[in-house]
Amino acid sequence: MNPTTVLDVDRQVFAAYFNRKPFRVWHSLPGHPLFELPRLLELARALPERFVEYNAGALPVGVRPEETPRTGLSAEETVRRIQECGSWMVLKRVEQDPDYGALLDCCLDGIAAYARGLVPPMQRREGFIFLSSPGAVTPFHIDPEYNFLLQVRGTKTVSMWDPADRFVLPEEELERFYASFVHRNLPWRDVFQTTAFVLPLVPGEGLHFPVTVPHWVKNGPEVSVSFSITFRTAHSARRELLYKANARLRKLGLKPTPVGQSILLDRTKQLAFGAAANLKRLLAPAASRDA
Ligand SMILES: [Fe+2]
């Protein structure tokens, strides 16, 4: 497979909007054998249990993590009965299977070809496959990676916000997400929807998700299969470190300057907290030897 024939991205749009706003890309994955249900069932069986997450799909947008119901079905039954079982399932880190790993690399090489000179080198390439029943809802949340969601089968509508919108996504939520991750779902208010970008997706289309952009997803009236191709960069790792630093400062009773507002402060925090994190990593093996 040739990466630039699998994916089509407008280079000028990429240059203008990458990691700032959502934009569409196009791909040739609909009908690909790796996304047929029997092959996905085989993948769900082969992946270690912790990489297969599934629950009921008819959820409110603002569901709290502790309220997320299971369906009572096994992962295998969920795939087999996806048409009628009202479920949402994600197969995580699918690159562990060599076939899916090769496809992920091919797709991300396509992105890298358009990104040349525009973004730092890709790190931690990871792939996720979402399989959802008609009408399933993925609640309001954020993710830590740069993401391109490629719609392979069925339709879905993504509601997404400007990643810099601090009314919908306050700094404190970002700090919590990076420093004390419990669940990726966010507190929801109905008024948020009035300022959402509402983006329908059909097979062959894809959508760019900036790092930690708030979003929720509603499936169309058919079974949906989508492939999420993700990566991180030195820039996203630095941003994570800065949010962890701000979380620490807030815990000390301070009001930290938001990430990105002061180059000097960000640099100082990066040096101080980066050094502390390195020291902690260095001391960890010694501490466990002493125990
Ligand atoms: Fe997401």
Side-chain angles (χ1 to χ4, degrees):
M1 260 180 151
N2 178 345
T4 48
T5 57
V6 176
L7 268 162
D8 185 18
V9 183
D10 185 299
R11 193 172 157 83
Q12 286 184 330
V13 168
F14 193 103
Y17 294 114
F18 178 75
N19 207 34
R20 296 172 201 270
K21 294 267 162 64
F23 60 84
R24 279 198 173 74
V25 302
W26 294 270
H27 63 89
S28 60
L29 296 182
H32 193 290
L34 286 180
F35 298 100
E36 298 298 324
L37 290 186
R39 183 64 184 89
L40 291 174
L41 179 57
E42 195 186 313
L43 176 65
R45 274 199 210 111
L47 284 173
E49 206 176 317
R50 69 180 188 282
F51 295 107
V52 182
E53 184 187 334
Y54 55 99
N55 50 47
L59 298 176
V61 180
V63 73
R64 298 299 303 166
E66 60 278 13
E67 296 164 356
T68 306
R70 304 295 291 250
T71 52
L73 297 178
S74 69
E76 287 190 37
E77 283 172 311
T78 303
V79 176
R80 218 176 276 123
R81 296 172 51 190
I82 196 72
Q83 179 68 48
E84 79 271 13
C85 72
S87 287
W88 171 91
M89 168 183 258
V90 56
L91 305 174
K92 301 177 183 178
R93 307 286 313 277
V94 299
E95 72 281 1
Q96 297 174 85
D97 177 303
D99 292 345
Y100 291 91
L103 183 64
L104 175 69
D105 272 336
C106 179
C107 293
L108 284 178
D109 286 348
I111 296 292
Y114 290 101
R116 196 160 298 132
L118 300 172
V119 292
M122 291 180 180
Q123 302 170 354
R124 293 179 63 177
R125 291 174 167 212
E126 295 176 352
F128 303 79
I129 295 175
F130 296 93
L131 180 60
S132 27
S133 296
V137 167
T138 308
F140 185 54
H141 70 280
I142 52 177
D143 301 301
E145 313 93 351
Y146 303 90
N147 178 23
F148 288 83
L149 182 74
L150 309 179
Q151 189 64 18
V152 179
R153 173 178 165 184
T155 59
K156 53 179 48 170
T157 301
V158 179
S159 289
M160 198 190 285
W161 284 260
D162 185 324
D165 186 332
R166 291 291 166 266
F167 174 66
V168 170
L169 177 61
E171 286 288 307
E172 290 92 325
E173 283 299 334
L174 276 165
E175 291 164 18
R176 246 192 300 278
F177 176 74
Y178 280 120
S180 51
F181 181 84
V182 179
H183 201 281
R184 62 209 179 107
N185 289 4
L186 292 170
W188 171 253
R189 290 172 59 192
D190 288 341
V191 71
F192 292 164
Q193 195 61 32
T194 59
T195 57
F197 304 114
V198 179
L199 303 154
L201 274 183
V202 300
E205 286 184 335
L207 191 62
H208 170 54
F209 290 61
V211 171
T212 63
V213 67
H215 59 281
W216 71 276
V217 185
K218 167 101 172 148
N219 223 34
E222 327 83 13
V223 167
S224 163
V225 178
S226 23
F227 187 29
S228 177
I229 58 172
T230 78
F231 59 96
R232 305 192 199 200
T233 63
H235 175 83
S236 63
R238 176 176 181 270
R239 188 169 177 272
E240 176 172 348
L241 178 73
L242 291 174
Y243 273 108
K244 283 180 173 164
N246 274 3
R248 186 75 66 81
L249 294 172
R250 200 178 293 279
K251 221 172 165 184
L252 294 172
L254 302 169
K255 269 199 177 154
T257 302
V259 174
Q261 273 191 15
S262 161
I263 294 172
L264 187 63
L265 279 173
D266 281 355
R267 182 83 189 126
T268 308
K269 288 174 200 166
Q270 185 187 0
L271 288 172
F273 284 84
N278 285 339
L279 189 64
K280 205 171 158 187
R281 260 197 300 274
L282 275 174
L283 292 176
S288 60
R289 271 199 309 275
D290 291 344

